[in-house]
């Protein structure tokens, strides 16, 4: 999945409102993204973006309603199908929280599955079983500030051979439908035997 982080998108959209009005030490966003991938490859996502107080106020001025944020985000990602998207302002903590599901975020490549968390440079922080933790640090406002994002990806429980290569999480799943395939083959074999038996001349 090639996803543009909420915070980066918001800043690009709100740049005309905030440029030149915020001190350099306040150019900072801390992002937390939690992704749970189900067996079908859908991603259930929760994102939280914490801003400095002045920057948070600028964001609310640029986007008075969360509907505006939702519309802008969905319009920018017309190639991705979202479901149940909800965005909330959290004034007490100067942050934005978003929850949504991305359909078909992980792709079955045959021998393995692939999930691309987002564009940009990602660093592998840790891998523990089916959980992968990534970190992204990106400059904002011409290098005068930074965005720090921690991405925790929980893969299906029976994932194996989990690895992070070239910005993509790759993993393998046991073929849960193999039993169905076996039954299908057995039924096909039985049908074939039946056809052969019907067409063989009966021995007297």
């Amino acid at each position: 999945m090639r996803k543009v982080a909420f915070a980066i998108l918001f800043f690009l959209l709100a740049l005309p409102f905030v440029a030149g009005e915020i001190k350099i030490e306040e150019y900072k966003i801390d992002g937390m993204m939690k992704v749970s991938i189900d067996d079908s490859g859908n991603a259930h996502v929760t994102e939280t973006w914490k801003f400095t107080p002045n920057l948070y106020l600028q964001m609310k001025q640029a986007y008075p309603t969360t509907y505006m944020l939702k519309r802008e985000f969905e319009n920018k990602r017309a190639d991705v199908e979202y479901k149940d998207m909800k965005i909330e302002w959290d004034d007490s903590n100067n942050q934005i929280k978003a929850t949504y599901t991305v359909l078909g975020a992980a792709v079955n490549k045959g021998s393995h599955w692939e999930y691309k968390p987002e564009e940009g440079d990602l660093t592998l922080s840790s891998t523990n079983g089916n959980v992968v933790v990534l970190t992204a640090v990106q400059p904002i406002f011409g290098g005068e500030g930074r965005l720090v994002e921690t991405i925790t990806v929980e893969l299906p429980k029976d994932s194996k051979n989990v690895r992070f290569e070239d910005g993509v999480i790759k993993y393998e799943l046991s073929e849960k439908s193999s039993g169905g395939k076996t039954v299908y083959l057995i039924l096909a074999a039985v049908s074939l035997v039946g056809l052969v038996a019907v067409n063989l001349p009966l021995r007297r």
Side-chain angles (χ1 to χ4, degrees), residues 106-115 160-163 165 168-175:
V107 180
N108 188 344
K109 296 294 185 177
S111 61
H112 67 280
W113 288 71
E114 291 188 359
Y115 170 68
K160 59 183 180 180
N161 196 16
V162 177
R163 65 265 193 202
E165 300 174 349
V168 178
I169 296 176
K170 300 179 181 180
Y171 60 99
E172 298 171 13
L173 286 177
S174 57
E175 187 57 63

Side-chain angles (χ1 to χ4, degrees), residues 37-40 130 154-160 171 173:
I37 306 292
D38 62 27
D39 292 338
S40 299
N130 66 321
E154 182 180 1
L155 303 171
K157 291 182 179 180
D158 57 347
S159 297
K160 59 183 180 180
Y171 60 99
L173 286 177

Side-chain angles (χ1 to χ4, degrees), residues 85-145:
M85 177 176 285
K86 183 178 181 181
I87 302 176
E88 298 176 326
W89 294 106
D90 182 356
D91 294 341
S92 60
N93 294 303
N94 298 317
Q95 63 186 22
I96 299 172
K97 182 178 181 180
T99 57
Y100 54 92
T101 296
V102 182
L103 303 181
V107 180
N108 188 344
K109 296 294 185 177
S111 61
H112 67 280
W113 288 71
E114 291 188 359
Y115 170 68
K116 186 175 178 62
E118 80 180 65
E119 296 173 346
D121 295 329
L122 297 174
T123 301
L124 178 64
S125 297
S126 66
T127 301
N128 183 11
N130 66 321
V131 178
V132 179
V133 180
L134 305 170
T135 302
V137 179
Q138 301 189 37
I140 54 176
F141 296 130
E144 294 183 344

Side-chain angles (χ1 to χ4, degrees), residues 3-16 18 28-31 33 47-51 55 59 63 69 72-73 76 96 117-122 136-141 145-149 151:
K3 172 189 168 296
V4 180
F6 263 102
I8 298 176
L9 175 62
F10 294 164
F11 269 98
L12 290 176
L13 294 171
L15 184 58
V18 300
K28 188 172 181 287
I29 312 173
D30 292 316
M33 178 179 179
E47 291 189 77
T48 302
W49 299 99
K50 186 174 180 62
F51 302 83
L55 198 50
M59 286 297 302
Y63 297 96
L69 290 174
E72 290 284 1
F73 185 71
K76 291 292 182 180
I96 299 172
E118 80 180 65
E119 296 173 346
D121 295 329
L122 297 174
V137 179
Q138 301 189 37
I140 54 176
F141 296 130
R146 64 190 180 118
L147 178 151
V148 181
E149 181 183 17
I151 305 169

